């Protein structure tokens, strides 16, 4: 599905839209599984958190602003054999090399009227420093993603520059943020079943969902197999269960 011109676009801009990856039946399959995660029929409580916890007040402390469930493929391994994972792995190899493998996956849900923006950040700010920095995320839309329900915004070419200083967002909740503005970026609206890829260093954000629409996203992240081993040897496995920091992360959070 990845042409040479698409690779050029990804390399230059740091993001790439791939349309019509899933058909209507496949979208419904993933929506059904997604809802089972959200309503706890599939128990992923140990990997569930509120990425929007930084925006909580005393009045709504029990309401998740941005539901994040890490490693759904570990909890429900059937997912790993289905089209989203197998095809996204193929695309990752075509974009960044044959040694790319799945590092982690996650669900990020912005419920109707939850109205909490995901702060501007670069994914690599969350990670330990690795000698091979190739990494890419596949952001699959399970609902039409538009500006007002939380589509992705990207700063073109930001993956080619230095990592901006990051700090914890607001009142906590695990999110990081850096300084950026919508005027720097491009909103990328995509229909359900399409995906957008972004480099691990591409600056991005999304508005809160201020509509009555759903905004369910399934994200898969890929990096070289050797770098996945590098992470695991240092106790970093994206579960959120163990905090691991290297010198650069210490500097960013201080």
């Amino acid at each position: 599905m990845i042409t040479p011109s698409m690779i050029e676009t990804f390399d230059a801009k740091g993001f790439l839209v791939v349309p019509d990856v899933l058909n209507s039946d496949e979208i419904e399959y993933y929506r059904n599984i997604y809802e089972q995660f959200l309503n706890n029929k599939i128990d992923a409580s140990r990997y569930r958190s509120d990425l929007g916890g930084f925006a909580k007040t005393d009045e709504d402390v029990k309401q998740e602003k941005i539901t994040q469930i890490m490693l759904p493929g570990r909890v429900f391994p059937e997912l790993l054999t289905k089209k989203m994972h197998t095809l996204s792995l193929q695309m990752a190899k075509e974009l960044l090399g044959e040694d790319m493998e799945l590092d982690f996956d996650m669900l990020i849900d912005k419920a109707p009227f939850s109205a909490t923006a995901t702060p501007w950040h670069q994914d690599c700010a969350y990670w330990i420093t690795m000698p091979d920095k190739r990494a890419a995320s596949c952001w699959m839309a399970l609902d039409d993603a538009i500006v007002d329900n939380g589509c992705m915004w990207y700063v073109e070419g930001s993956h080619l520059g230095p990592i901006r200083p990051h700090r914890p967002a607001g009142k906590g909740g695990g999110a990081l943020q850096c300084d950026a503005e919508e005027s720097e970026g491009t909103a990328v609206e995509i229909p359900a079943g399409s995906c957008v890829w972004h480099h691990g260093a591409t600056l991005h954000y999304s508005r809160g969902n201020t509509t009555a629409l759903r905004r369910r996203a399934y994200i898969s992240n890929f990096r070289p197999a050797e770098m996945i081993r590098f992470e695991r040897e240092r106790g970093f496995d994206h579960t959120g269960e163990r905090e691991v920091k290297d010198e650069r992360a210490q500097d960013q959070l201080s």
Side-chain angles (χ1 to χ4, degrees):
M1 298 183 69
I2 305 298
T3 66
S5 64
M6 294 168 78
I7 296 173
E8 291 178 4
T9 297
F10 180 74
D11 289 345
K13 292 186 174 183
F15 63 93
L16 171 72
V17 173
V18 182
D20 303 323
V21 177
L22 303 177
N23 63 37
S24 58
D25 289 340
E26 291 162 343
I27 292 169
E28 286 307 310
Y29 166 81
Y30 287 108
R31 285 175 175 171
N32 177 57
I33 299 298
Y34 203 104
E35 293 305 303
Q36 291 184 59
F37 274 102
L38 290 180
N39 63 29
N40 296 313
K41 287 185 178 179
I42 299 175
D43 183 10
S45 54
R46 66 185 296 196
Y47 301 132
R48 184 169 182 154
S49 63
D50 185 1
L51 190 61
F54 64 90
K56 283 183 176 177
T57 64
D58 292 340
E59 289 74 23
D60 61 11
V61 69
K62 294 183 180 180
Q63 178 184 356
E64 290 175 337
K65 297 287 191 180
I66 306 172
T67 301
Q68 180 183 53
I69 298 175
M70 298 298 298
L71 307 177
R74 178 183 296 184
V75 177
F76 193 69
E78 175 184 311
L79 287 168
L80 301 177
T81 69
K82 299 298 184 179
K83 184 177 180 180
M84 185 187 299
H85 282 78
T86 58
L87 190 55
S88 59
L89 175 58
Q90 176 186 328
M91 288 189 282
K93 290 177 181 291
E94 294 175 4
L95 284 170
L96 287 176
E98 284 296 322
D99 57 343
M100 301 300 286
E101 296 292 344
L102 177 68
D103 189 3
F104 64 93
D105 57 352
M106 61 180 169
L107 312 179
I108 298 184
D109 181 64
K110 291 193 172 186
F113 304 114
S114 50
T116 300
T118 302
W120 285 102
H121 68 282
Q122 292 157 290
D123 291 340
C124 57
Y126 285 89
W127 305 334
I128 62 174
T129 300
M130 284 169 275
D132 187 336
K133 302 185 186 304
R134 285 178 295 154
S137 292
C138 177
W139 196 96
M140 184 70 70
L142 298 184
D143 301 290
D144 293 347
I146 61 175
V147 168
D148 288 335
N149 77 346
C151 75
M152 297 290 278
W153 290 67
Y154 296 106
V155 175
E156 183 175 331
S158 54
H159 64 303
L160 301 174
I163 305 304
R164 298 192 185 187
H166 284 67
R167 60 189 182 276
K171 300 178 180 180
L176 297 179
Q177 67 177 13
C178 65
D179 293 330
E181 300 291 339
E182 283 188 0
S183 59
E184 299 179 65
T186 300
V188 181
E189 297 184 318
I190 57 174
S194 295
C195 70
V196 57
W197 285 85
H198 65 265
H199 189 282
T202 302
L203 186 60
H204 60 283
Y205 123 112
S206 62
R207 289 183 184 177
N209 185 358
T210 57
T211 75
L213 305 172
R214 298 295 305 275
R215 202 234 65 176
R216 290 166 287 193
Y218 198 124
I219 298 94
S220 303
N221 181 271
F222 302 86
R223 70 174 71 249
E226 184 59 32
M227 292 301 96
I228 296 173
R229 286 192 289 271
F230 183 92
E231 289 180 309
R232 302 300 184 267
E233 289 169 357
R234 287 155 180 79
F236 195 72
D237 62 3
H238 304 282
T239 63
E241 295 177 319
R242 178 180 176 187
E243 185 177 14
V244 180
K245 298 178 183 178
D246 64 351
E247 292 181 0
R248 192 198 70 196
Q250 291 276 18
D251 291 341
Q252 289 173 338
L253 295 174
S254 62

